[in-house]
């Protein structure tokens, strides 16, 4: 899948955002390691702390369908420059795609590409936890 195709999928997901409070719609598209595409949009709630970002929506959909790693993510919003993920999304991205390619863009086509490690150097990982619990990947 090309960057342009991934961005187009993120743009389509953005159209489904539920943003009655902020009116700030964001879309994300995640390409799992096996080539499956997952999309997400931000979903707001009247209790603002319960809002979920587009990036986490897409990644959580991927994980809920049995995939554990993604190789690329595109994020788009109507911002002045390329849309930047929040800290929580960067941490979740690090958990499931520490070496993944990241494409950040806006509706004008301004784009930044890099890696999850570029976005969150020194991320907290399972290696920072004591012991070797089962189930961690």
């Amino acid at each position: 899948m090309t960057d342009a195709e991934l961005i187009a999928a993120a743009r389509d997901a953005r159209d489904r955002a539920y943003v009655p409070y902020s009116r700030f719609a964001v879309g994300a598209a995640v390409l799992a390691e096996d080539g499956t595409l997952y999309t997400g949009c931000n979903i707001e709630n009247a209790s603002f702390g319960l809002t979920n970002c587009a990036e986490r929506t897409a990644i959580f959909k991927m994980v809920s369908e049995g995939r554990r790693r993604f190789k690329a993510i595109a994020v788009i919003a109507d911002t002045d420059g390329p849309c930047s993920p929040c800290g929580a999304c960067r941490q979740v991205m690090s958990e499931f795609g520490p070496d993944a390619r990241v494409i950040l863009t806006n509706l004008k086509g301004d784009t930044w590409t890099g890696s999850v490690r570029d976005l969150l150097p020194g991320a907290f990982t399972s290696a920072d936890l004591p012991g070797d619990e089962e189930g961690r990947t």
Side-chain angles (χ1 to χ4, degrees), residues 68 95 126 129-137:
R68 295 291 186 260
E95 181 79 13
S126 61
L129 298 171
D132 186 23
E133 298 176 17
E134 283 187 39
R136 274 191 271 149
T137 56

Side-chain angles (χ1 to χ4, degrees), residues 30-38 62 67 69-72:
V30 169
L31 185 62
E33 280 189 338
D34 71 352
T36 305
L37 179 67
Y38 296 91
M62 177 194 77
R67 277 49 171 214
R69 291 278 182 239
F70 69 94
K71 60 184 176 181

Side-chain angles (χ1 to χ4, degrees), residues 3 6-7 10 27-30 55 72-76 101-105:
D3 287 3
L6 203 58
I7 290 168
V30 169
E55 301 92 311
I73 184 170
V75 183
I76 189 169
R101 178 174 169 76
V102 177
I103 304 124
L104 306 178
T105 191

